[in-house]
Amino acid sequence: MSPVLKWAGGKTQLLEELMSKVPQTYNTYFEPFIGAGAFFLSLKPKSAVINDTNEQLINLYQQLKHSPSEIISIVSSLDEVACDKNYYYKIRERYNQKITSKELDPECAALMIWINKHCFNGLYRVNSQGFFNVPYNNKVTGKSLDKDNVEAISRFLKEQNVTILCSDFENACKKVSPGDFVYLDSPYVPESSSADFTDYTKTGFSYEDHDRLADLFVRLDKLGAYVMLSNNDVPLVRELYREYNIEPLEVKRLINRNAAKRSGKEVIVTNYQ
Ligand SMILES: C[S@@+](CC[C@H](N)C(=O)[O-])C[C@H]1O[C@@H](n2cnc3c(N)ncnc32)[C@H](O)[C@@H]1O
């Protein structure tokens, strides 16, 4: 299984590193900032709670779980038309109508997958009214999804009884118990004021949110959960997690307008060895 979306902060290139840090045994897996779910889909936990504040993204997981054939059929019919600028903006308009009318259904999920393949750099960005506003990537691409992958994800979400939530990360961690494993991959602290990736949903992720996240890390640690977190290697993160194990890493950045900034330093923080 692999992600059906390209997502800012996607963890595909860090998978090996993250997998090497998975505790030997754990009970339920919690991922409160699921994004495209690269790590979750690779880990394949037996029991899991996944969460994100992006309603359309969470609808996608719900529809993958309950309506995979509708998603496959709608994306296939969207793919029958060779994409050009007019077609892209027509489909984007349709997606924004879904956002306005709050229709969280298989079509909304299918539109999200198709748009992700045809928009600039696979970015997900909304304006102050919550409308998706990423421009066309100017490419005519082939298939927008892999049918077998969608079916495999659907089976997995059903068979492992994955709980799918749409709320703030603190709420999503309310049921964490001793021996559970929590992976925290929040929007990152910007490397500099210009490198700001907080536009995932209507509300960005502020410095206060990073403080709240660090407090949650401490609470989960005290409770006896295994906690792993990723973020940029910046002074604020070093300061917030100074009591824990911090491992620095060199990474390539896939989504950055500036080619020179497509590499950077990150950290993985754990409360266990
Ligand atoms: C860095 S991305 C996660 C990347 C993901 N691990 C992947 O592999 O694609 C951060 C995610 O946090 C979500 N988010 C932002 N604020 C949040 C909050 N307060 N609570 C929960 N999720 C939030 C965003 O919608 C976004 O999908």
Side-chain angles (χ1 to χ4, degrees):
M1 292 185 293
S2 58
V4 296
L5 300 177
K6 183 173 169 186
W7 204 250
K11 286 290 157 301
T12 305
Q13 64 163 320
L14 284 188
L15 280 183
E16 242 176 77
E17 200 65 46
L18 294 171
M19 288 305 276
S20 73
K21 297 197 180 325
V22 173
Q24 287 202 326
T25 58
Y26 58 91
N27 301 326
T28 298
Y29 174 69
F30 285 75
E31 190 168 344
F33 305 93
I34 189 70
F39 180 60
F40 163 68
L41 294 172
S42 166
L43 182 67
K44 303 186 199 78
K46 294 259 175 289
S47 154
V49 176
I50 60 172
N51 174 79
D52 204 285
T53 42
N54 184 321
E55 285 181 329
Q56 282 69 34
L57 178 68
I58 287 308
N59 173 58
L60 172 57
Y61 284 102
Q62 295 286 10
Q63 303 301 337
L64 283 168
K65 183 170 180 180
H66 300 293
S67 311
S69 39
E70 283 90 332
I71 293 184
I72 292 166
S73 132
I74 299 168
V75 175
S76 307
S77 55
L78 291 170
D79 277 346
E80 277 168 18
V81 179
C83 189
D84 63 9
K85 211 170 173 177
N86 281 343
Y87 189 60
Y88 174 78
Y89 286 105
K90 199 176 118 196
I91 304 296
R92 194 180 84 171
E93 177 60 36
R94 174 86 192 120
Y95 180 62
N96 280 324
Q97 282 164 7
K98 288 270 165 190
I99 294 180
T100 315
S101 54
K102 293 194 180 296
E103 275 174 81
L104 296 167
D105 59 7
E107 189 191 2
C108 184
L111 291 167
M112 192 179 195
I113 294 174
W114 186 91
I115 286 172
N116 182 260
K117 294 289 173 306
H118 294 84
C119 72
F120 183 72
N121 263 349
L123 274 175
Y124 197 90
R125 189 187 61 206
V126 292
N127 64 17
S128 55
Q129 281 110 51
F131 294 124
F132 184 83
N133 65 2
V134 179
Y136 179 42
N137 67 8
N138 284 313
K139 283 182 217 150
V140 179
T141 49
K143 284 208 285 183
S144 301
L145 64 66
D146 172 347
K147 179 172 175 287
D148 294 343
N149 189 43
V150 166
E151 284 167 351
I153 294 173
S154 184
R155 272 195 307 276
F156 170 72
L157 293 174
K158 266 189 265 191
E159 283 164 15
Q160 305 308 332
N161 195 22
V162 174
T163 302
I164 304 169
L165 305 174
C166 185
S167 65
D168 179 69
F169 65 89
E170 279 195 81
N171 183 59
C173 288
K174 274 203 173 131
K175 292 197 174 156
V176 174
S177 306
D180 288 343
F181 175 32
V182 186
Y183 174 43
L184 303 168
D185 184 28
S186 70
Y188 283 5
V189 175
E191 277 175 284
S192 67
S193 48
S194 61
D196 189 346
F197 274 135
T198 54
D199 279 348
Y200 292 93
T201 55
K202 274 184 276 184
T203 48
F205 204 78
S206 64
Y207 282 91
E208 288 70 36
D209 290 324
H210 282 287
D211 266 345
R212 234 165 26 93
L213 182 60
D215 287 347
L216 174 69
F217 191 112
V218 173
R219 288 203 303 277
L220 295 171
D221 173 42
K222 293 204 170 124
L223 183 120
Y226 300 99
V227 194
M228 177 166 81
L229 171 141
S230 12
N231 211 319
N232 273 327
D233 192 355
V234 290
L236 176 69
V237 171
R238 292 264 176 183
E239 170 62 21
L240 289 172
Y241 299 99
R242 64 186 182 285
E243 307 288 336
Y244 299 102
N245 312 307
I246 301 183
E247 190 184 310
L249 301 163
E250 197 77 40
V251 292
K252 288 197 202 99
R253 300 240 194 277
L254 300 176
I255 300 182
N256 194 310
R257 269 178 237 124
N258 180 348
K261 289 192 183 152
R262 286 184 189 153
S263 88
K265 289 189 168 60
E266 295 189 9
V267 290
I268 298 180
V269 183
T270 55
N271 68 335
Y272 56 90
Q273 287 297 343

